[in-house]
Amino acid sequence: MLDRALDLLFPPRCIVCNRIASALCSQCAPPRAPLHRTLGGGIEVRALGAYEGAWRRAVLALKDGRRDLVAALGERLGHALEAADAHLVGVPTSASRRMRRGFDGGEQLASLAASVGERAASRGLIFVARDRQRGRSRVERLDARGRFRAGDTSLAGTHVTLIDDVCTTGATLADAAFALRSCGAIVERALVVALTDASRKRAAR
Ligand SMILES: [Zn+2]
């Protein structure tokens, strides 16, 4: 009741074009079928759209902390899930970014997508603070692959689909897959909101 009254007083507007609609109107969402790319390390990435135009502005607004967009994009990801996407793990952001936004984009997108598609989601990854990397040699840093460690050892033997907002070079997804594979998870798939041109060129090489 209160929600409806608030909607009448402050109707929701599209984040991209400001039209009175949902947080992301049908005209601003990418119209095409999902993009498919294979990244190094045997990860098949699907994206809802290319990181350009209105879709890029939507992703940037998400990164700025627009909670209503998390719901809109999480729902879209949920509808794009395939049968093989049995268990979702969101790629976590750094603690400082999470503080600034007030939420963890990757984890929130994964849990919302899972609830739409009736899939399981877990916090399978922990972001390793960069500070802890200081003092290590370059070789040690490369060996650790930096950013993540597995946070859920019960994922051993489970097929995991990574969920993230944007795939640029694919390095973040590769790091995340490396950490999950170290505890025995099977990681061959990722679903992201947007793919940049760089990741598409890289995959085409
Ligand atoms: Zn719009």
Side-chain angles (χ1 to χ4, degrees), residues 14 16-19 24-25 27-28:
C14 171
V16 178
C17 67
N18 208 33
R19 230 192 307 267
L24 188 72
C25 81
Q27 260 138 17
C28 292

Side-chain angles (χ1 to χ4, degrees), residues 112-178:
L112 282 159
S115 65
V116 172
E118 293 180 13
R119 305 300 207 289
S122 65
R123 293 189 167 185
L125 290 165
I126 293 167
F127 193 96
V128 181
R130 293 228 178 249
D131 298 355
R132 286 193 213 147
Q133 302 263 333
R134 278 185 209 141
R136 287 188 186 180
S137 73
R138 191 175 131 74
V139 173
E140 280 173 329
R141 281 201 304 267
L142 283 174
D143 189 44
R145 296 277 191 105
R147 282 166 277 195
F148 309 106
R149 66 182 169 83
D152 183 356
T153 49
S154 71
L155 289 176
T158 304
H159 284 269
V160 166
T161 298
L162 293 167
I163 303 286
D164 206 356
D165 48 14
V166 57
C167 171
T168 307
T169 62
T172 304
L173 291 175
D175 275 9
F178 180 83

